[in-house]
Amino acid sequence: MRSFFHVMGLICFAISSVHATHISVSSPDKRITFTFSDANQEAQYSVEYHGSDLILPSKLGFTFEQAQPLYHHFKVEEISRHSNDDKWKQPWGEQRIIRNHYNELVVKFTQINDANRHFSVRARVFDDGVGFRYEMPDAGDVAITRELTQFHLADSQRATAYWIPGQSQQRYEYLYRETALNEVGLAHTPFTVKYETGTHVAIHEAALVDYAGMSLHFLERGKLEAKLAPRSDGTLVHKSGSFHTPWRTITIGNEAVDLINSYIALNLNEPNKLGEVDWVNPGKYIGIWWGMHIGKFSWGAGEKHGATTERTIRYMNFAAKHGFDGVLVEGWNEGWDGNWIANSEIFSFTKSYPDFDIKKVTEHGKKIGVKLIGHHETSGGITNYEKQMESGFALYQKHGVEQIKTGYVSYGQNLKVVDENGVMRYEFTDSQPAVNHFINNVKTAAKYQLSINTHESVKDTGLRRTYPNWLARESARGQEYNAGWSKPNPAEHIPMLAYTRMLAGPMDFTPGIFNFNYTLGNNSGMDVGTKELRRPISTLSKQLAEYVVLYSPIQMAADLPENYEAKPAAFQFIKDVPTDWEETRALQGEVGDFVVVARKEKKHRSYNGRDWYLGAITNGEARTITVPLDFLEKGMAYEAQIYRDTHQTDWRKNPYAMIIEKKKVTRADTLNVRLAAAGGLAVRFKAL
Ligand code: NOJ
Ligand code: CA
């Protein structure tokens, strides 16, 4: 009997495969084909690139807490097709005009034995990748316990993956790992894969709203499955009525820089919901910040208190003198004394320490044209923050503040949310309740015409298109890790970020450290550890190059004013470089090795919209880059103001050695420059 059923099973399998329906849609340039099928009566999709398999048949579906799963006995049916080719404008960004060009296919997977049970999947295929999302019918209240979406990468034995661990203690603040694809564990997205052929793939998501963030979990050879961050009750996502998921995105290119030059995640987000956003301003800032990280000042009260009225006014004067828009002040409000990471429930968002007078500093700032940049550290106390959020915003608005940096320092599944029954729950940064909090924070801020820069936030998924007041996030290891309280970021960190974290959106990395000889920070309340090498693994030129390579509409000059005053020639580049761009072109590079990016400034305020900038950063290896300047405008001449490493520059022994030279160039010229190990290159092409 057993073998009879076995044989019958094989026959059924053969029949269902033979009768499987395959429905495809290709990219406008036909290089990418996305196919839905019901082979084996499963809901499946696959992707071909240049006529070869890229994503092998991969499952789609769900399981629920108290409902039948949606994962087999499916038949697929075409519902609709649609094509789009238009352009839209970003109010600020790395690229002012974005083309949204795709072919769309919507299919419905219906259960063979129960036509009432179905879901649809909408796929959009662009020339540089695909996005698809589930669209679920109303099934009342449901709790998702598993999203079965798989990504079965072909030729996995010839693929290398670049990734950070998902759902772990330090949120997104990890060093990138380079492993064989088949050695991945649980990884955050953007998750980048490089093939021996040069094909590069990045898996991520777009428009993460009222859902849990997706990590990728390795199943077997080349096969990864979505793993959503759980809620504190152990389920993944609570939904009521019809809903759709975020878009699952697969960006595809022939070389590493194609990933950077893709805008599919922004295209898949909804247009601006805030209307006129002329109150959202990109810009540059300094702050009472690095001083705390290196132990010179403290956040909390006492003789080292950083956020004093007197110091803020001094920093504002420095900002005005050198053309910065704002001064960030951390530690001005009550709650920092003692172990501030553990004391999330005592933060006040309205009461200042006695030595900080918000009225006085903002009135002074107004006179000299410098804004105070607000700060809300929550230490993960979400409910404590939400209770005070509006009064905190109102206070800032009253004093003319335009931007707030927020923070959620707390380990792993440790964001504190009081539920509807008054019970304190502990949630992951990328869980559904936290995702909703971050969006609520940004939407509420918009009511007060405030913009937000979220630290320790869930990853970016392109929501800046919908909420342009969400200027930047951290969500990775930033410069702060070089301050002394941790092992510093290794030399390859920035060439890793460029092809991974930065694919998600702007990062508040906080570049521009000019003095590498500071003492070990010891009052930050963070893990201090041993006194081994604790400083940026960097040359001075690399610190400048970061302003071009790491895109953010708000860039900090992170070091202390006196350290900029000590190196005025290098500081000039930070003063010149814009943070809002007409156009961006990632030109050359390899994941984790090096990256070369050119950007054209946007015509805006004091920028005439004619200059180009270039940034290049290498890993721990010195290398010479050869860059044709054919991105420059035809018929124009430029003065190239070049800030580069010298042959003597050595990040350990001679990091500040830098040549600043000026040359006349046109688009017919080629730049040949040697980057020192852990070095970089920054260029302003000033239109003549
Ligand atoms: C972590 C943030 O990333 C950092 O910039 C900030 O100074 C501290 N939290 C304190 O809020
Ligand atoms: Ca941080």
Side-chain angles (χ1 to χ4, degrees):
M1 283 304 274
R2 222 184 163 137
S3 67
F4 171 78
F5 281 119
H6 183 67
V7 171
M8 284 304 287
L10 283 180
I11 291 169
C12 289
F13 176 81
I15 290 171
S16 64
S17 298
V18 168
H19 293 291
T21 304
H22 292 80
I23 311 171
S24 296
V25 54
S26 292
S27 56
D29 69 1
K30 309 263 185 295
R31 290 190 310 167
I32 302 173
T33 300
F34 185 99
T35 302
F36 289 110
S37 94
D38 52 16
N40 308 328
Q41 297 184 349
E42 285 178 351
Q44 295 184 348
Y45 79 95
S46 56
V47 179
E48 284 176 38
Y49 182 51
H50 287 302
S52 304
D53 290 334
L54 183 74
I55 306 285
L56 298 166
S58 297
K59 278 188 204 172
L60 299 162
F62 292 94
T63 68
F64 304 98
E65 191 179 38
Q66 282 175 334
Q68 292 296 318
L70 279 170
Y71 68 82
H72 55 57
H73 299 320
F74 287 114
K75 64 173 195 278
V76 67
E77 170 195 358
E78 179 173 327
I79 298 298
S80 65
R81 284 177 188 268
H82 171 73
S83 291
N84 188 81
D85 187 9
D86 61 1
K87 289 180 179 157
W88 58 279
K89 286 186 190 136
Q90 300 205 82
W92 50 263
E94 69 280 59
Q95 179 80 22
R96 191 169 64 87
I97 298 173
I98 293 186
R99 184 176 182 192
N100 188 14
H101 189 197
Y102 61 82
N103 292 326
E104 178 182 270
L105 167 65
V106 186
V107 300
K108 186 169 166 188
F109 287 99
T110 308
Q111 242 166 36
I112 292 163
N113 47 1
D114 184 353
N116 289 326
R117 306 210 67 230
H118 55 86
F119 61 87
S120 297
V121 184
R122 183 179 300 269
R124 289 190 180 160
V125 187
F126 304 80
D127 288 345
D128 48 355
V130 304
F132 62 91
R133 73 175 187 195
Y134 298 86
E135 298 185 350
M136 309 296 289
D138 187 348
D141 292 344
V142 294
I144 298 171
T145 50
R146 188 165 168 193
E147 184 186 308
L148 290 163
T149 312
Q150 292 181 351
F151 302 87
H152 188 176
L153 288 131
D155 283 331
S156 60
Q157 69 285 3
R158 282 199 282 274
T160 305
Y162 304 88
W163 56 286
I164 53 170
Q167 297 166 22
S168 293
Q169 201 213 21
Q170 298 291 345
R171 307 162 306 267
Y172 294 82
E173 296 179 10
Y174 283 96
L175 294 177
Y176 277 83
R177 299 172 187 191
E178 175 177 345
T179 69
L181 175 61
N182 289 327
E183 282 164 19
V184 171
L186 176 63
H188 269 309
T189 73
F191 174 81
T192 299
V193 177
K194 173 186 175 174
Y195 282 96
E196 282 170 5
T197 55
T199 299
H200 284 70
V201 176
I203 302 174
H204 187 43
E205 57 185 310
L208 171 54
V209 178
D210 194 20
Y211 206 77
M214 174 183 77
S215 293
L216 299 171
H217 171 60
F218 181 78
L219 293 182
E220 57 179 319
R221 279 171 75 90
K223 202 184 274 181
L224 302 156
E225 187 179 280
K227 197 166 178 87
L228 305 181
R231 299 176 60 110
S232 55
D233 68 1
T235 66
L236 306 180
V237 175
H238 293 179
K239 283 286 178 186
S240 165
S242 60
F243 67 94
H244 58 74
T245 65
W247 296 89
R248 278 66 189 88
T249 60
I250 307 169
T251 308
I252 307 166
N254 288 329
E255 50 178 344
V257 290
D258 290 343
L259 302 179
I260 304 176
N261 291 324
S262 167
Y263 295 98
I264 64 175
L266 280 177
N267 276 327
L268 290 167
N269 272 273
E270 287 182 35
N272 174 8
K273 287 189 177 168
L274 301 183
E276 179 57 71
V277 284
D278 52 1
W279 46 273
V280 178
N281 287 312
K284 283 179 287 191
Y285 70 104
I286 60 163
I288 300 179
W289 179 77
W290 186 243
M292 275 83 93
H293 283 269
I294 61 174
K296 188 176 165 75
F297 309 139
S298 63
W299 279 281
E303 57 186 40
K304 291 207 315 190
H305 188 215
T308 64
T309 305
E310 184 272 324
R311 182 170 293 108
T312 307
I313 287 176
R314 209 151 23 90
Y315 274 51
M316 282 179 156
N317 292 342
F318 175 88
K321 182 171 166 201
H322 296 286
F324 289 86
D325 306 279
V327 175
L328 165 72
V329 179
E330 296 195 358
W332 66 271
N333 58 317
E334 286 181 8
W336 290 93
D337 300 317
N339 181 352
W340 59 267
I341 297 180
N343 290 348
S344 61
E345 301 311 287
I346 63 171
F347 269 118
S348 161
F349 297 89
T350 47
K351 289 189 202 134
S352 1
Y353 281 120
D355 53 354
F356 183 79
D357 185 337
I358 191 168
K359 186 162 180 285
K360 195 165 172 190
V361 299
T362 50
E363 277 173 0
H364 179 74
K366 199 167 174 195
K367 277 191 232 139
I368 58 171
V370 174
K371 298 272 176 192
L372 173 72
I373 297 180
H375 186 231
H376 283 168
E377 174 58 60
T378 67
S379 293
I382 288 197
T383 302
N384 177 51
Y385 183 31
E386 287 197 335
K387 277 196 224 142
Q388 300 181 58
M389 207 159 77
E390 299 231 17
S391 47
F393 288 160
L395 175 75
Y396 276 141
Q397 189 191 34
K398 182 171 134 205
H399 292 290
V401 169
E402 277 184 1
Q403 278 171 32
I404 303 179
K405 168 176 169 181
T406 61
Y408 296 82
V409 176
S410 71
Y411 296 118
Q413 189 175 8
N414 225 4
L415 296 181
K416 297 167 210 67
V417 183
V418 176
D419 73 8
E420 54 285 3
N421 302 315
V423 179
M424 179 83 93
R425 304 285 180 194
Y426 295 84
E427 305 284 1
F428 275 113
T429 299
D430 33 14
S431 65
Q432 185 186 19
V435 163
N436 289 347
H437 163 75
F438 291 123
I439 295 174
N440 177 35
N441 174 254
V442 166
K443 279 161 78 171
T444 311
K447 290 200 293 182
Y448 295 84
Q449 301 208 331
L450 289 163
S451 299
I452 298 290
N453 164 18
T454 321
H455 277 231
E456 296 81 44
S457 106
V458 64
K459 63 187 169 184
D460 198 341
T461 57
L463 282 165
R464 63 185 155 129
R465 180 176 181 192
T466 315
Y467 304 109
N469 67 328
W470 205 340
L471 283 170
R473 314 187 195 206
E474 182 190 42
S475 312
R477 274 174 75 116
Q479 182 90 272
E480 61 177 359
Y481 279 81
N482 300 330
W485 50 260
S486 162
K487 282 192 179 161
N489 298 323
E492 72 269 19
H493 188 57
I494 301 226
M496 278 290 181
L497 288 178
Y499 303 94
T500 52
R501 158 67 182 84
M502 299 310 295
L503 304 180
M507 175 175 178
D508 188 39
F509 180 83
T510 71
I513 297 306
F514 269 34
N515 174 16
F516 303 151
N517 301 318
Y518 38 82
T519 49
L520 183 65
N522 59 6
N523 65 353
S524 62
M526 301 187 192
D527 165 32
V528 169
T530 58
K531 288 205 180 202
E532 60 200 66
L533 181 74
R534 303 270 165 136
R535 45 156 286 200
I537 297 183
S538 177
T539 68
L540 186 58
S541 319
K542 171 174 160 180
Q543 291 296 313
L544 301 183
E546 288 171 358
Y547 287 88
V548 184
V549 166
L550 298 172
Y551 170 65
S552 174
I554 47 166
Q555 291 280 23
M556 186 178 205
D559 210 335
L560 307 172
E562 55 268 34
N563 294 332
Y564 293 122
E565 270 156 358
K567 296 188 178 70
F571 189 38
Q572 187 60 43
F573 184 81
I574 302 181
K575 290 164 63 168
D576 291 339
V577 69
T579 63
D580 198 10
W581 306 97
E582 177 68 26
E583 196 183 330
T584 281
R585 291 196 215 164
L587 299 173
Q588 296 177 12
E590 292 292 346
V591 187
D593 294 347
F594 75 107
V595 55
V596 185
V597 181
R599 304 191 199 266
K600 185 185 183 191
E601 74 180 24
K602 183 167 133 185
K603 192 168 184 323
H604 184 59
R605 289 202 255 168
S606 55
Y607 300 102
N608 64 22
R610 285 151 46 95
D611 297 355
W612 279 82
Y613 286 77
L614 182 135
I617 290 180
T618 181
N619 58 4
E621 281 173 39
R623 73 185 70 230
T624 298
I625 54 166
T626 302
V627 188
L629 301 181
D630 53 4
F631 53 86
L632 296 174
E633 259 45 63
K634 281 195 185 117
M636 282 183 58
Y638 298 81
E639 179 185 80
Q641 302 169 354
I642 303 172
Y643 300 72
R644 63 178 173 90
D645 300 321
T646 73
H647 276 274
Q648 284 72 46
T649 310
D650 175 328
W651 73 264
R652 275 178 191 273
K653 297 192 204 107
N654 192 17
Y656 308 118
M658 184 166 77
I659 290 177
I660 305 177
E661 59 187 353
K662 294 182 178 165
K663 274 188 192 166
K664 194 173 164 192
V665 299
T666 70
R667 72 194 304 273
D669 291 307
T670 296
L671 206 63
N672 260 298
V673 177
R674 181 182 173 276
L675 315 178
L681 161 72
V683 188
R684 175 187 185 189
F685 296 96
K686 189 174 183 313
L688 294 173

Coordinates of all heavy atoms in Angstrom, one line a residue, residues 153 161-163 181 184 187-193 201-204 216 224 500:
L153 N 18.2 31.6 -4.3 CA 19.2 32.1 -5.3 C 19.8 31.0 -6.0 O 20.3 30.0 -5.4 CB 20.2 32.9 -4.5 CG 19.6 34.3 -4.0 CD1 19.9 34.5 -2.6 CD2 20.1 35.4 -4.9
A161 N 28.1 36.6 0.1 CA 27.0 37.5 0.7 C 27.7 38.5 1.7 O 28.7 38.2 2.3 CB 26.0 36.6 1.4
Y162 N 27.1 39.7 1.8 CA 27.5 40.7 2.7 C 26.3 41.1 3.6 O 25.3 41.5 3.1 CB 28.0 42.0 1.8 CG 29.0 41.6 0.8 CD1 28.7 41.1 -0.4 CD2 30.4 41.6 1.2 CE1 29.7 40.7 -1.3 CE2 31.4 41.3 0.3 CZ 31.0 40.8 -1.0 OH 31.9 40.4 -1.9
W163 N 26.5 40.9 4.9 CA 25.3 41.0 5.7 C 25.7 41.3 7.2 O 26.9 41.1 7.6 CB 24.6 39.7 5.6 CG 25.4 38.5 6.0 CD1 26.3 37.9 5.2 CD2 25.3 37.7 7.2 NE1 26.8 36.8 5.8 CE2 26.2 36.6 7.0 CE3 24.6 37.8 8.3 CZ2 26.5 35.7 8.0 CZ3 24.8 36.8 9.3 CH2 25.7 35.8 9.2
L181 N 27.5 32.6 0.3 CA 26.1 32.7 0.5 C 25.5 31.5 1.3 O 24.6 31.7 2.2 CB 25.4 32.7 -0.9 CG 23.9 32.7 -0.9 CD1 23.3 33.9 -0.2 CD2 23.3 32.6 -2.3
V184 N 25.3 31.9 5.4 CA 24.6 33.0 6.1 C 23.8 32.4 7.2 O 23.3 31.2 7.1 CB 23.7 33.7 5.0 CG1 22.8 34.7 5.7 CG2 24.6 34.4 4.0
A187 N 20.0 37.2 8.7 CA 20.6 38.4 8.2 C 19.6 39.5 8.1 O 18.5 39.3 7.6 CB 21.3 38.2 6.9
H188 N 20.0 40.8 8.4 CA 19.2 41.9 8.1 C 19.2 42.2 6.6 O 20.1 41.7 5.9 CB 19.7 43.2 8.8 CG 19.2 43.4 10.2 ND1 17.9 43.5 10.4 CD2 19.8 43.7 11.3 CE1 17.7 43.7 11.7 NE2 18.9 43.9 12.3
T189 N 18.3 43.0 6.2 CA 18.4 43.6 4.8 C 18.7 45.0 4.9 O 18.4 45.6 6.0 CB 17.0 43.3 4.0 OG1 16.0 44.2 4.5 CG2 16.6 41.9 4.1
P190 N 19.2 45.7 3.9 CA 19.6 45.2 2.6 C 20.7 44.1 2.7 O 21.6 44.2 3.5 CB 20.2 46.4 1.9 CG 19.6 47.6 2.6 CD 19.4 47.2 4.0
F191 N 20.4 43.0 2.0 CA 21.3 41.8 2.0 C 21.9 41.8 0.6 O 21.2 41.6 -0.4 CB 20.4 40.6 2.3 CG 21.1 39.3 2.2 CD1 21.9 38.9 3.3 CD2 21.0 38.5 1.1 CE1 22.5 37.6 3.2 CE2 21.6 37.3 1.0 CZ 22.4 36.8 2.1
T192 N 23.2 41.9 0.5 CA 23.9 42.0 -0.8 C 24.6 40.7 -1.2 O 25.3 40.1 -0.4 CB 24.8 43.2 -0.7 OG1 24.0 44.4 -0.5 CG2 25.5 43.4 -2.1
V193 N 24.4 40.4 -2.5 CA 25.1 39.1 -2.9 C 25.8 39.4 -4.2 O 25.3 40.2 -5.1 CB 24.0 38.1 -3.3 CG1 24.6 36.8 -3.9 CG2 23.2 37.7 -2.0
V201 N 23.2 41.4 -6.5 CA 21.8 41.3 -6.1 C 21.7 41.9 -4.7 O 22.5 41.6 -3.9 CB 21.3 39.9 -6.1 CG1 19.8 39.8 -5.6 CG2 21.4 39.2 -7.5
A202 N 20.6 42.7 -4.5 CA 20.4 43.1 -3.1 C 18.9 42.9 -2.8 O 18.0 43.3 -3.5 CB 20.7 44.6 -2.9
I203 N 18.7 42.1 -1.7 CA 17.3 41.8 -1.3 C 17.0 42.8 -0.1 O 17.8 42.9 0.8 CB 17.2 40.4 -0.8 CG1 17.5 39.4 -2.0 CG2 15.7 40.1 -0.3 CD1 17.6 38.0 -1.6
H204 N 15.8 43.4 -0.2 CA 15.5 44.4 0.8 C 13.9 44.5 0.8 O 13.3 43.6 0.3 CB 16.1 45.7 0.5 CG 16.0 46.8 1.6 ND1 16.1 46.5 2.9 CD2 15.7 48.1 1.5 CE1 15.9 47.6 3.6 NE2 15.7 48.6 2.8
L216 N 16.4 37.8 6.8 CA 16.4 36.6 6.0 C 17.1 35.5 6.7 O 18.2 35.7 7.3 CB 17.2 36.9 4.7 CG 16.6 38.0 3.8 CD1 17.5 38.4 2.7 CD2 15.2 37.5 3.3
L224 N 16.8 31.2 1.1 CA 16.6 32.1 2.3 C 15.1 32.3 2.4 O 14.3 32.3 1.4 CB 17.2 33.4 2.1 CG 18.7 33.4 1.8 CD1 19.2 34.6 1.0 CD2 19.5 33.2 3.1
T500 N 25.5 48.3 1.0 CA 24.6 47.5 1.9 C 23.6 48.5 2.6 O 22.6 48.9 2.0 CB 25.4 46.7 2.9 OG1 26.3 47.5 3.6 CG2 26.1 45.5 2.3

